[in-house]
Amino acid sequence: MTIFKKIIDREIPADIVFEDDQCLAFRDISPQAPTHILVIPKKEISAVDALSEEDEALVGHIFLVIRKIAKDEGLSNGFRVVTNNGLLAGQTVPHLHFHLLGGRPLNWPPG
Ligand code: 5GP
């Protein structure tokens, strides 16, 4: 079981900013920007690689939740959504998650 599943199940605490039947959003424990929120599906999907056709609506829903949270966080000047997939990309938790970053200028290309 991943640490994110434990957060979903309330086995470990997190600063939760949004929840519905399909997803959960909470502040990253090691924030890389003034706003750094992780949005995750409640369904256990390990990574983008593991998505299937049946997850199409779920991923679309998550992006609408991200849009809402960005608005609530006041990120009207811009924000970034990042998903790391696999070892080379630096994915450390094998539960699909979308990083919502904002509140400072964000460089491009990323590291
Ligand atoms: P990844 O490197 O897999 O793309 O992102 C995993 C993220 O999860 C990292 O930014 C890391 O700081 C965050 N993280 C890891 N463990 C915890 C935790 O227990 N609680 C919270 N809130 N964030 C975590």
Side-chain angles (χ1 to χ4, degrees), residues 74-87:
L75 303 179
S76 55
N77 286 330
F79 58 85
R80 186 171 293 166
V81 181
V82 175
T83 299
N84 296 317
N85 185 94
L87 275 180

Side-chain angles (χ1 to χ4, degrees), residues 32-34 80 102-108:
Q32 303 301 311
R80 186 171 293 166
R104 67 165 171 84
L106 298 164
N107 296 329
W108 194 263

Side-chain angles (χ1 to χ4, degrees), residues 37-86:
I37 290 168
L38 301 170
V39 187
I40 70 173
K42 288 187 171 174
K43 180 178 174 185
E44 288 186 90
I45 301 167
S46 62
V48 171
D49 270 348
L51 283 166
S52 64
E53 300 284 321
E54 69 178 28
D55 302 318
E56 194 170 352
L58 172 61
V59 174
H61 174 73
I62 286 174
F63 267 86
L64 290 178
V65 168
I66 289 170
R67 174 179 173 271
K68 175 197 156 22
I69 297 171
K71 213 170 195 175
D72 291 348
E73 292 284 314
L75 303 179
S76 55
N77 286 330
F79 58 85
R80 186 171 293 166
V81 181
V82 175
T83 299
N84 296 317
N85 185 94

